[in-house]
Amino acid sequence: MKPAPFEYVVAGSWDEAVAALDGDSRVLAGGQSLVPLMNQRLVRPRRLVDISGIPGLIERRRGALRIGATVRQAALERSTLIAGGWPLLRQAVRHVGHPATRARGTIGGSVVHADPRAELICALIALDARFTLSSGRAVHGPLQLGPGELLTAIEVPRLQPFAKSAFVAYARTSGSFADAAVAVVLEPDRAADAVLGAGRAGEAEAAVRAGASATDAAALAADLVDGDHHRALVAELTRRALVEAGHA
Amino acid sequence: MTWEELIAEPRRRDEHGVLVVLEEVDHDTRTAVFRRAGESFTVRADKVTSPSDFKPAPEFALEVKVLTGEIVDEDAERSPAGSGRARVVAAGVAAAGLALLAARRRR
Amino acid sequence: MGVASTLGQPVRRREDARLLAGRGRFLDDIELPDALHMAFVRSPHPHARFELKRPGRLTFTAASVAGRVAPPQIVPPPGLTVEPIPHPVLADGIVRYVGQPLAAVVAESRALAEDLAERVEVEYEPLPAVDDPRAGETMVRWEKSEGDVAGAFARAAHVVRSERVIPRLVAAPMETRGALAAMEGGRLTVWTSSQSAHRPRAQLAQSLRMSEDELRVIVPDVGGGFGSKGTLPVETPLVAFAARELGRPVRWIEDRRENFLAAPQGRGISGVVELAFDAEGRILALRGRVLADLGAYLLPSTPIPPHTTAMLLAGCYDIPAVEVFVTGARTHKVPTGPYRGAGRPEAAYLIETAMDTAARQLGVDPIELRRRNFVRAFPHRTALGWTYDSGDFEACLDRALELVGEPEGHIGVAMCVERSAGLFEHASVTRDGEVRVGSVPAGQGHETVFAQIAADKLGLDVDQITVITGDTDEVADGVGSFASRSTAMGGSAVAAAADDLLAGGPGVARFESEQVFTSGAYVAVVEVDPATGAVRVVKLVAVDDAGRIINPLLAEGQVVGGAVQGLGASLLEAVDGAPATLHDYSLPTAGEIPAFATAFLESPSPHNPLGAKGIGESGTIGAPAAIANAVAAAVGMRLDPPFTAEKVWRALR
């Protein structure tokens, strides 16, 4: 399991990274998904542009959160700022791989790799996160990078006072990819319910705002996914997440 | 060193050659978190001096709890990357095949 | 003298100071700077005709090694009819499983060798593949009949039929397989990650047509074997051959993908058990049918697990009449071989689930039904032909029930009987405490147990003993570590060698004995979430009777480790359909480990001076059957492993 030959370029800044990219390049951040794929020779870039040395910060400014794309998942997990203001992210990141992979894996890598089972994407969608790109563009919702474009940061708005959140997942074993997961954020005048791999459950959110029971709202969220057992999982996890976030 | 100078440099090495990384900045409370040798240090703007001055302030003092066992990683103490204050010991749990990191942070 | 014996004491593992600190020396830690790396071209098809286009000068193919590297010989257990279908070293024109090696290349680094391997042009013509063993040709056949089975079924008050399936499993040792070979002073030295040193030497000698004197096999630290390193990989003779041909050391370290594709897999059997009961719930006769999915070829040890399954099918019950048929079928899959338990978990699963099914059908408590049928006098020759040397099955069950208490959740009980030891082992002991044994550790704790035994005999401290294993130049003879045999056989050989030394002899012994029978009772407590189907094993109780326990700490470690592997087999693991990788094959993690209660009963074996029996496989044998019975109790119907959330959820609907 050794990768096919490739060129390796270390980028010290986002500008250098953009300049080094061409049509046949891949960006190396934490490498926890890309490197195994390269080792299996399923992905064979001509050039690897390593951005892991570009500093990434977790910052709060005027109540809003900004996370640099190269911030390690482990840093996210131990951040007191995130634990205090956006606990959903800490709850979600604990389901991403194992401590060893989180020490290398980055939040930006998770978002750009866009595995439908990526727990962090599910949580960020529930938080109405915005993705800042090297081109200056900012994107809400599903991220599609253009040629030569890089994700540089993720911005998350402040939550209202008394907001509650919950992240509930079912995986076969601790640390393996979840078969299903649900992120819920409940604020006084907002309800967010994101289903792993399926995005926001608008109907379930409306039902919660209208006072429907957790069980009834969960049934609406389950309609987003295919397969009867998958639906049963999403329904149960949504119900639990709503209850954990204080909705009966 | 001013607050602005402190947070302007996200990575530096202290006088022991140990990497000190800026991990978190709260502009609202003017608080920064640095990471050095596997430990986090919080610095507030009103107390800023320099990250190389990080001494284990009382709130970060380490309680070294040596369980029955032997030191299995003496090199870590001498290496520049080692914090010099924590010891890795193999605890009395060899039956389970586990080694415990016995350094614990006092709250 | 005057040093207290540590036999029976929980002496801490002496090897851990080295292994836990990262100072172990495994195969890939052995540095030979000018070694070439070997990589294999492996079939992407389960069955295909192929043609190699323009193989390079340094490409080894079936044609280029023909007549010079022979496939390993098949050594079937007595009474088995076996077709002559050995595993070719390299495929010749036809590949029969995904991952089968058809060519090998060498290069200055592993990465370059992989580059070369993918440049070897192969033209494949896919052929229809047999996936279902029921459609496969028969490679192995065995049958046994004793007593009036037809008469017993005709007069039975109740007949119970139970049909079960156990999927194929991957052994997945932490360290994969591999070999390093170098010519040294006119002889060939082969380092290999193996459960034996002397067996690989014999196999290499046969394969390379060399005398054993021309070969030295060294086994460094081994990071787990679980049976999968008890069979010489077909790749190894080629590594040795290349080193001899090229005059340079050659290294092959199996990568994780290769380990999933090409290492022998375990289990993969289905079975039918029919039991005839009288009106009081006593078993009059057993009929068994075992169908094993053996894969594409017979490795030397491939026929052993189905034979062991059949021979242990009566479990711990006194059954006067039996009729058992075993069929080993050829499929287009990687061959199976012994995997921790190697037929014993299959037998325990078949008979113990049948007993629970019978209890339900007869309206008898499953524990009571077991009590009515236990073997109670030893030695006991079963109708199948093996002789249980000692034991107290009911005492194990009583102790297990005591330990489980009154749990929340559903409980399942399973008994187990397992053959261990047998054949011979060789050891030598010197006055200054050097012990040489043919048993080869893969992490079990040999350096501790053998030192305890030698220290006890010589009146020395355990720390004064040096244990040397895994080198055919250092240890005169040996078998190795298979079938939970190291303490009973290796340990007894050490004791006998020390006795010889103390009696004025050279301190050498070859200890021979027939096999001994470990037994035990397991109880699993499970919780099932009806909304998702998720199964959680809350507690496992393991009571084992492995004769005299030399070191209870190590013995418990073996039980717990085995039971966790059995938990993986119960809840998570299966190779079904396409070959697995670690992306889709789930292994249990620390997060899934339940609460444990373990205990030992000691019915000493009369067959060795220590009174010892094997304990290395007990957990993998008892735990899956107990978990299966607990899940059946929770779900209200019978399922086959793995008990995934989806499978259980469907059953509950």
Side-chain angles (χ1 to χ4, degrees):
Chain A
M1 292 179 78
K2 302 289 180 195
F6 59 89
E7 271 176 39
Y8 176 73
V9 178
V10 177
S13 68
W14 292 109
D15 287 343
E16 278 178 39
V18 170
L21 282 177
D22 62 19
D24 203 4
S25 310
R26 292 296 284 256
V27 176
L28 175 69
Q32 299 305 295
S33 300
L34 179 61
V35 171
L37 288 169
M38 287 176 63
N39 283 346
Q40 292 178 74
R41 302 192 175 210
L42 296 171
V43 173
R44 342 174 41 123
R46 192 182 57 76
R47 174 184 289 176
L48 211 52
V49 179
D50 186 350
I51 60 163
S52 64
I54 302 176
L57 281 183
I58 299 169
E59 290 176 276
R60 176 162 68 177
R61 201 188 292 272
R62 288 185 289 282
L65 176 70
R66 183 178 192 278
I67 309 169
T70 56
V71 166
R72 308 276 180 197
Q73 291 154 5
L76 201 67
E77 187 180 3
R78 64 178 166 249
S79 162
T80 48
L81 196 54
I82 282 170
W86 296 268
L88 181 71
L89 284 174
R90 174 184 270 204
Q91 292 160 352
V93 79
R94 290 188 166 170
H95 292 273
V96 180
H98 305 271
T101 64
R102 295 200 289 272
R104 296 292 305 169
T106 65
I107 184 168
S110 278
V111 169
V112 174
H113 183 62
D115 190 303
R117 298 165 299 176
E119 292 92 343
L120 281 173
I121 297 179
C122 179
L124 288 168
I125 287 174
L127 291 167
D128 280 331
R130 203 167 70 137
F131 304 112
T132 309
L133 309 184
S134 55
S135 57
R137 272 203 310 146
V139 181
H140 251 109
L143 179 61
Q144 281 282 335
L145 291 176
E149 230 173 15
L150 287 165
L151 173 70
T152 55
I154 297 155
E155 287 170 25
V156 184
R158 91 188 307 161
L159 293 178
Q160 297 165 26
F162 309 111
K164 282 189 155 186
S165 62
F167 189 92
V168 183
Y170 173 76
R172 284 177 295 173
T173 63
S174 160
S176 62
F177 278 113
D179 290 341
V182 173
V184 162
V185 181
L186 296 182
E187 296 173 275
D189 58 1
R190 175 178 169 274
D193 179 355
V195 175
L196 185 74
R200 292 280 285 267
E203 287 186 31
E205 292 172 358
V208 169
R209 281 198 301 273
S213 72
T215 307
D216 290 346
L220 295 168
D223 285 340
L224 287 186
V225 299
D226 293 328
D228 50 2
H229 181 244
H230 194 189
R231 276 200 294 277
L233 280 177
V234 169
E236 176 63 10
L237 298 180
T238 306
R239 187 191 67 75
R240 282 187 209 164
L242 285 169
V243 170
E244 197 182 313
H247 185 83
Chain B
M1 183 182 267
T2 65
W3 165 254
E4 285 70 26
E5 284 166 352
L6 183 72
I7 64 168
E9 212 179 322
R11 284 176 199 215
R12 70 185 82 203
R13 288 191 183 273
D14 68 11
E15 71 270 27
H16 305 291
V18 179
L19 193 64
V20 180
V21 177
L22 177 62
E23 197 162 272
E24 201 170 298
V25 179
D26 189 340
H27 300 281
D28 296 356
T29 61
R30 287 165 65 86
T31 306
V33 177
F34 290 86
R35 189 88 178 155
R36 178 192 181 277
E39 287 182 63
S40 298
F41 298 90
T42 305
V43 177
R44 291 185 179 79
D46 51 2
K47 293 180 188 165
V48 166
T49 48
S50 154
S52 60
D53 285 347
F54 288 141
K55 291 285 185 294
E59 67 198 284
F60 296 111
L62 287 174
E63 177 193 356
V64 177
K65 188 173 177 186
V66 181
L67 305 174
T68 49
E70 59 183 315
I71 299 169
V72 296
D73 196 0
E74 289 167 311
D75 295 345
E77 278 198 275
R78 289 194 291 272
S79 77
S83 71
R85 283 173 287 106
R87 291 205 298 167
V88 182
V89 302
V93 287
L98 298 173
L100 284 186
L101 271 174
R104 289 206 310 203
R105 181 164 299 166
R106 188 183 295 148
R107 300 250 166 240
Chain C
M1 305 285 159
V3 178
S5 168
T6 64
L7 296 191
Q9 299 301 309
V11 175
R12 297 262 296 274
R13 289 163 49 97
R14 307 167 72 214
E15 43 272 81
D16 280 351
R18 183 177 86 250
L19 295 175
L20 294 186
R23 287 198 285 266
R25 205 170 134 80
F26 297 88
L27 179 63
D28 207 20
D29 295 323
I30 294 164
E31 289 183 31
L32 285 184
D34 58 341
L36 292 164
H37 292 256
M38 181 170 272
F40 291 88
V41 181
R42 295 182 183 277
S43 170
H45 298 285
H47 191 199
R49 230 186 296 280
F50 73 91
E51 203 181 324
L52 278 162
K53 302 286 183 193
R54 301 184 298 280
R57 206 168 49 80
L58 284 181
T59 307
F60 297 89
T61 65
S64 72
V65 304
R68 306 173 73 193
V69 188
Q73 276 169 352
I74 305 159
V75 195
L80 235 70
T81 312
V82 167
E83 298 298 322
I85 307 176
H87 194 310
V89 173
L90 291 169
D92 189 6
I94 293 186
V95 281
R96 290 191 173 84
Y97 66 89
V98 175
Q100 183 178 354
L102 54 98
V105 295
V106 289
E108 297 292 336
S109 73
R110 172 73 189 188
L112 286 170
E114 288 187 26
D115 290 349
L116 269 182
E118 72 175 5
R119 262 173 240 153
V120 173
E121 280 181 62
V122 190
E123 207 173 273
Y124 295 97
E125 181 198 331
L127 297 168
V130 176
D131 188 59
D132 186 339
R134 287 171 297 187
E137 69 176 282
T138 298
M139 290 203 286
V140 167
R141 207 178 293 105
W142 181 86
E143 60 181 85
K144 174 91 186 180
S145 178
E146 182 157 314
D148 180 15
V149 173
F153 273 89
R155 68 172 193 277
H158 310 275
V159 172
V160 175
R161 186 175 190 280
S162 163
E163 187 168 356
R164 306 259 55 92
V165 180
I166 305 180
R168 280 172 165 243
L169 303 176
V170 176
M174 191 101 83
E175 183 201 19
T176 54
R177 305 178 303 164
L180 170 64
M183 290 302 291
E184 292 185 326
R187 292 168 78 217
L188 185 61
T189 300
V190 179
W191 291 261
T192 171
S193 188
S194 168
Q195 294 168 226
S196 165
H198 291 85
R199 278 195 175 178
R201 184 178 65 169
Q203 286 173 324
L204 283 167
Q206 173 248 316
S207 192
L208 299 173
R209 290 154 197 203
M210 295 170 75
S211 85
E212 292 194 11
D213 296 342
E214 297 172 283
L215 281 159
R216 177 184 187 183
V217 171
I218 300 174
V219 180
D221 280 325
V222 174
F226 310 119
S228 74
K229 291 180 186 168
T231 296
L232 189 74
V234 291
E235 293 86 348
T236 304
L238 207 60
V239 175
F241 174 77
R244 202 179 59 183
E245 286 298 296
L246 302 172
R248 272 182 71 177
V250 176
R251 183 192 297 275
W252 167 63
I253 304 293
E254 181 182 62
D255 67 29
R256 186 58 64 186
R257 181 180 44 182
E258 289 182 291
N259 185 261
F260 266 81
L261 287 177
Q265 296 179 350
R267 317 284 189 262
I269 66 133
S270 56
V272 179
V273 168
E274 287 177 298
L275 296 169
F277 284 91
D278 70 12
E280 279 75 51
R282 270 184 226 292
I283 306 170
L284 301 171
L286 174 150
R287 270 194 201 127
R289 304 279 181 280
V290 175
L291 174 64
D293 170 1
L294 298 178
Y297 303 101
L298 296 177
L299 294 166
S301 54
T302 298
I304 294 172
H307 175 254
T308 299
T309 304
M311 288 298 285
L312 288 173
L313 215 45
C316 59
Y317 307 109
D318 189 357
I319 304 178
V322 295
E323 181 192 83
V324 178
F325 292 91
V326 176
T327 308
R330 191 177 200 190
T331 57
H332 291 104
K333 299 177 201 171
V334 65
T336 51
Y339 164 54
R340 201 171 190 176
R344 302 160 187 80
E346 294 91 320
Y349 180 69
L350 292 175
I351 184 64
E352 289 301 309
T353 55
M355 287 301 279
D356 261 33
T357 299
R360 180 175 290 238
Q361 192 175 320
L362 271 62
V364 181
D365 177 74
I367 292 164
E368 172 56 26
L369 189 67
R370 286 178 168 84
R371 290 188 199 278
R372 283 183 205 173
N373 287 285
F374 279 147
V375 169
R376 290 171 187 277
F378 299 89
H380 170 83
R381 186 182 179 280
T382 72
L384 282 152
W386 278 349
T387 301
Y388 299 167
D389 52 334
S390 65
D392 187 340
F393 301 150
E394 189 152 42
C396 287
L397 178 59
D398 286 339
R399 185 86 179 94
L401 293 172
E402 210 176 285
L403 286 172
V404 77
E406 300 276 327
E408 306 228 339
H410 296 272
I411 77 157
V413 173
M415 303 297 299
C416 53
V417 186
E418 43 178 306
R419 74 174 174 94
S420 58
L423 304 176
F424 79 93
E425 196 50 87
H426 180 279
S428 66
V429 174
T430 65
R431 283 227 175 259
D432 50 4
E434 275 192 0
V435 173
R436 289 170 168 76
V437 202
S439 306
V440 175
Q444 301 95 327
H446 291 36
E447 286 173 53
T448 306
V449 167
F450 294 154
Q452 282 180 266
I453 293 165
D456 169 64
K457 289 283 184 191
L458 302 177
L460 296 173
D461 197 275
V462 168
D463 288 334
Q464 292 173 278
I465 306 290
T466 309
V467 176
I468 297 160
T469 59
D471 185 339
T472 56
D473 274 11
E474 284 283 343
V475 183
D477 198 0
V479 175
S481 292
F482 318 87
S484 302
R485 64 193 305 282
S486 295
T487 301
M489 300 307 297
S492 294
V494 170
D499 282 341
D500 180 61
L501 184 74
L502 294 173
V508 177
R510 177 187 156 101
F511 178 78
E512 269 182 78
S513 115
E514 52 187 287
Q515 46 193 11
V516 300
F517 287 83
T518 306
S519 52
Y522 280 68
V523 185
V525 182
V526 308
E527 282 176 5
V528 172
D529 178 351
T532 61
V535 175
R536 194 166 76 90
V537 177
V538 183
K539 184 175 184 179
L540 277 172
V541 174
V543 177
D544 290 283
D545 183 348
R548 286 255 157 73
I549 299 294
I550 306 299
N551 184 327
L553 194 62
L554 268 63
E556 190 189 23
Q558 287 295 321
V559 169
V560 171
V564 170
Q565 235 165 351
L567 178 97
S570 300
L571 300 186
L572 302 164
E573 300 177 41
V575 183
D576 40 7
T581 68
L582 268 185
H583 289 297
D584 41 38
Y585 189 92
S586 284
L587 295 165
T589 74
E592 283 72 53
I593 295 179
F596 269 97
T598 63
F600 293 102
L601 270 97
E602 300 193 342
S603 303
S605 173
H607 295 320
N608 63 66
L610 300 170
K613 301 179 178 181
I615 192 67
E617 299 164 284
S618 308
T620 49
I621 302 166
I627 293 169
N629 283 340
V631 169
V635 176
M637 66 182 283
R638 270 288 156 196
L639 301 171
D640 283 315
F643 307 115
T644 60
E646 180 168 355
K647 195 187 282 183
V648 170
W649 180 81
R650 287 195 192 290
L652 285 169
R653 295 189 88 200

